[in-house]
Amino acid sequence: MKTLKATIISAFNIHGYTLRSDALKFLQEHLESLAASEQQTDIDKILNQIVGQNLTSPLIDKHIVESAFKNLHSAANDDGVLFNVCDSFSLIRYTFNADSKKFLPWSTLHDKTVALHGNPDSKAQMLIERYRTIHQRTARHRLFTAPAISRDTNQSSTFSLRAIEHLLGSSSKEDNVIVLGIITQLKEGQFFLEDPTGVVRLNLMEAIYKGGLFTENSIVLAEGFYEDKIFFITAIGFPPPEPADITLSHFPNLCVTPYSSMNSHRLSTNLKHAEEANTDAMLVFLSDVWLDQLQVMQKLHILFAGYSMMPPTCFILIGNFLSLPIIGSQSKTFEDCFSQLGSLISEFPTLVENSQFVFVPGPNDPGLPHILPRPNIPVSFLGDFMKKVPKAIFTSNPCHLQYCTQDIVVFREDIISKMCRNSIYTPWEHEEKVDIPNLFVKTVIANGHLLPLPLNVAPIYWEYDHALSLYPLPDVVVCADKYDPYTVTCSNSIFFNPGSLPRSNFSFKVYFPSAKQVEDSEITEDDS
């Protein structure tokens, strides 16, 4: 039976690390009181944290071990905050380093700060970063990773992932080549596949499309043969998805929100217990809350009255907040509407006291131009609303919510209609039954991005493209859209659309974190 000292040394050696004597002594002293199984668990967790750091030497000093042990201890014992809201402009930006095979904070590699309007290199860097993120994920997948020892001598179950420069350097025809790249249209009516090594023209006449909505700027796996400087595609699909637990097992430091370090909220035992024990906790999502419509205000009164006896954890109200875009004098209308909403909510003191109100802007709400991410609605448009509902939070679009151990992304954009209009392949014209929401969810998960569309269709601030990233996958993604309501579960993540409140017979969604379930709801006539 191994001694504790031998177990610690062996575990660190497997990962290529060597502990200095004072670091080894520290670990022995702090782990010797635990049972053998708990010792191994803590060693693994400490190693996960150390592996995620940008270390320049395999020699592990005492201060590194102390820091990892402190993070582990705080994650296990810190009560934490049950509910947090983080806007897009506060998220931590990461970049993938191919040499160290780690995600490193962008701020540690650059002296400058992130600017809202980037320089000309920002656009290229944005697309390269998207590609690198998906490439490292795809290259690690079992389909593209050959086993160390193959038992099947006749047939390989893995495939080789080629770069475009490999095709361009070929002097003869190559069959059954698989390439990961971004679909682009460099010339009118001609599609190309691009990666950081080059670009190649595509022939899609015989292509079989598999499982998604294929648009420009989406990252795809293309299979085919290369001949006469053209890549003839036989099959095209999306890179395999990766659940969050697998991502975080490789990159435990990949925590995009600043409200916890090293994903400590995910590891917190107390937060997990609070999440499971609070079975009555619920998050209520409503989209297109048109405050200038009398019927909408009447329905909100019914909704708030119904929930006043059992206040939800949070109401997430998503724009647009007026039925028509704001132009000129309508800014006063916006202010008056929010003042009326504040008066309506203040009629129910239990909600004001016990429920959080979060407001996410829509495309037509006041703020910056139609470029994502959008900032929160300016205070100058709210009138006296904040005096009536002091706990209200106005955040960006998209935004991140944390409830106990779960991460939730809220995004407002009519994305499905845009993706359908810009798809290079229309499955509804070739297949009898097409589940559009399911195809949409598979597409954004595969791309690790909320908006895999050309920039002229869906403009993005290049330096803040990371705000639309879905890597690692959140527990819940709310894609508020004027499309019909839906709920889709894929790769251990729940995607749902609460629907447009006035357009969908006043339907909305309620999420129960303890059970990880979404309930379809509707505001009916007041029975009283």
Side-chain angles (χ1 to χ4, degrees):
M1 183 177 178
K2 278 187 178 181
T3 62
L4 174 58
K5 179 179 179 180
T7 300
I8 295 172
I9 293 174
S10 176
F12 276 78
N13 286 346
I14 288 174
H15 287 78
Y17 295 123
T18 301
L19 283 168
R20 293 193 183 275
S21 58
D22 55 349
L24 176 60
K25 183 179 178 181
F26 174 86
L27 283 179
Q28 282 183 269
E29 291 175 350
H30 286 80
L31 297 177
E32 61 186 0
S33 61
L34 303 176
S37 59
E38 294 177 337
Q39 289 174 351
Q40 187 61 54
T41 299
D42 280 8
I43 291 171
D44 291 340
K45 289 181 178 179
I46 290 170
L47 268 167
N48 281 339
Q49 296 197 37
I50 292 175
V51 167
Q53 298 178 34
N54 183 25
L55 300 181
T56 58
S57 170
L59 292 176
I60 305 299
D61 294 320
K62 180 182 177 182
H63 73 88
I64 296 174
V65 174
E66 283 182 330
S67 176
F69 188 85
K70 182 180 178 181
N71 284 337
L72 174 67
H73 184 73
S74 62
N77 297 293
D78 183 20
D79 288 336
V81 179
L82 295 184
F83 186 79
N84 273 304
V85 179
C86 181
D87 68 36
S88 294
F89 302 95
S90 301
L91 296 175
I92 301 172
R93 180 179 177 182
Y94 285 88
T95 184
F96 182 72
N97 185 291
D99 295 329
S100 62
K101 292 182 167 50
K102 296 177 183 177
F103 281 93
L104 306 177
W106 187 86
S107 58
T108 64
L109 304 174
H110 300 80
D111 295 331
K112 61 180 182 178
T113 57
V114 178
L116 186 62
H117 300 286
N119 56 47
D121 294 334
S122 301
K123 180 181 177 181
Q125 192 59 43
M126 171 190 72
L127 296 174
I128 291 172
E129 200 59 54
R130 283 195 208 178
Y131 177 85
R132 285 176 179 168
T133 299
I134 303 304
H135 183 271
Q136 61 82 25
R137 189 189 78 188
T138 306
R140 283 191 287 102
H141 194 271
R142 55 182 176 81
L143 290 175
F144 300 97
T145 307
I149 301 176
S150 177
R151 297 184 180 181
D152 189 351
T153 58
N154 298 320
Q155 184 178 0
S156 174
S157 59
T158 61
F159 303 91
S160 295
L161 204 57
R162 301 293 189 185
I164 289 176
E165 68 176 354
H166 173 83
L167 298 181
L168 301 179
S170 301
S171 58
S172 59
K173 177 181 176 180
E174 283 208 39
D175 294 328
N176 298 323
V177 181
I178 299 178
V179 178
L180 181 76
I182 300 176
I183 297 177
T184 57
Q185 189 176 185
L186 302 181
K187 296 180 181 179
E188 183 68 28
Q190 293 183 9
F191 290 101
F192 294 78
L193 196 66
E194 191 172 358
D195 73 5
T197 68
V199 59
V200 63
R201 183 180 169 186
L202 298 179
N203 184 316
L204 297 166
M205 298 295 293
E206 303 297 326
I208 298 174
Y209 295 83
K210 299 180 180 179
L213 299 172
F214 297 85
T215 62
E216 291 180 60
N217 268 22
S218 60
I219 300 175
V220 299
L221 279 174
E223 181 179 6
F225 62 91
Y226 180 69
E227 187 176 22
D228 295 332
K229 299 182 180 180
I230 297 177
F231 192 18
F232 292 83
I233 305 300
T234 55
I236 186 169
F238 286 109
E242 184 175 85
D245 56 343
I246 296 179
T247 302
L248 295 174
S249 69
H250 290 281
F251 310 109
N253 69 318
L254 190 57
C255 183
V256 299
T257 51
Y259 45 62
S260 67
S261 59
M262 299 292 291
N263 293 287
S264 60
H265 67 288
R266 290 179 178 267
L267 304 173
S268 172
T269 304
N270 287 347
L271 288 179
K272 185 65 176 177
H273 289 164
E275 180 182 300
E276 294 172 348
N278 195 1
T279 56
D280 293 331
M282 51 186 160
L283 307 179
V284 180
F285 293 86
L286 304 97
S287 181
D288 276 350
V289 185
W290 293 348
L291 303 177
D292 58 339
Q293 297 289 316
L294 178 59
Q295 191 177 16
V296 171
M297 295 298 286
Q298 291 172 340
K299 292 291 186 179
L300 287 178
H301 189 279
I302 296 171
L303 177 79
F304 294 146
Y307 277 118
S308 62
M309 299 300 293
M310 186 179 290
T313 304
C314 184
F315 289 95
I316 297 91
L317 284 77
I318 308 167
N320 300 309
F321 291 105
L322 292 184
S323 57
L324 296 173
I326 290 182
I327 50 175
S329 61
Q330 282 188 318
S331 59
K332 177 60 176 169
T333 303
F334 194 92
E335 182 179 333
D336 292 341
C337 286
F338 260 94
S339 180
Q340 293 173 20
L341 177 63
S343 299
L344 175 60
I345 295 174
S346 61
E347 291 180 24
F348 307 98
T350 55
L351 297 182
V352 175
E353 180 65 27
N354 299 293
S355 294
Q356 187 75 64
F357 288 83
V358 175
F359 293 84
V360 180
N364 295 331
D365 290 323
L368 293 180
H370 293 254
I371 306 175
L372 290 167
R374 288 180 61 85
N376 59 284
I377 296 171
V379 177
S380 57
F381 284 89
L382 302 178
D384 59 354
F385 177 83
M386 294 303 296
K387 294 179 181 178
K388 299 173 182 178
V389 191
K391 292 177 67 174
I393 297 176
F394 287 81
T395 186
S396 65
N397 176 29
C399 68
H400 283 243
L401 313 179
Q402 173 233 329
Y403 177 79
C404 291
T405 67
Q406 298 184 40
D407 289 324
I408 302 168
V409 170
V410 182
F411 181 46
R412 172 64 180 94
E413 182 67 31
D414 295 328
I415 179 65
I416 288 186
S417 60
K418 289 184 178 180
M419 292 194 68
C420 288
R421 284 198 304 269
N422 291 276
S423 180
I424 64 175
Y425 172 72
T426 51
W428 48 89
E429 294 180 359
H430 302 83
E431 303 171 29
E432 291 185 6
K433 297 181 67 176
V434 178
D435 187 345
I436 296 295
N438 190 52
L439 294 179
F440 162 72
V441 169
K442 287 182 177 179
T443 301
V444 296
I445 288 180
N447 279 266
H449 199 274
L450 284 167
L451 214 57
L453 279 168
L455 294 176
N456 63 309
V457 176
I460 295 173
Y461 289 109
W462 302 335
E463 292 281 352
Y464 283 92
D465 183 67
H466 61 282
L468 290 99
S469 172
L470 292 179
Y471 194 77
L473 269 175
D475 298 276
V476 179
V477 181
V478 182
C479 293
D481 197 317
K482 64 182 180 183
Y483 193 83
D484 294 339
Y486 62 81
T487 301
V488 176
T489 300
C490 185
S491 299
N492 299 333
S493 289
I494 301 172
F495 284 69
F496 68 83
N497 172 26
S500 175
L501 192 65
R503 295 189 182 102
S504 58
N505 201 27
F506 297 96
S507 65
F508 62 99
K509 299 276 189 180
V510 181
Y511 178 63
F512 295 90
S514 62
K516 294 188 177 181
Q517 291 182 348
V518 180
E519 183 180 272
D520 298 329
S521 301
E522 185 178 305
I523 306 175
T524 57
E525 293 299 326
D526 191 353
D527 295 332
S528 60

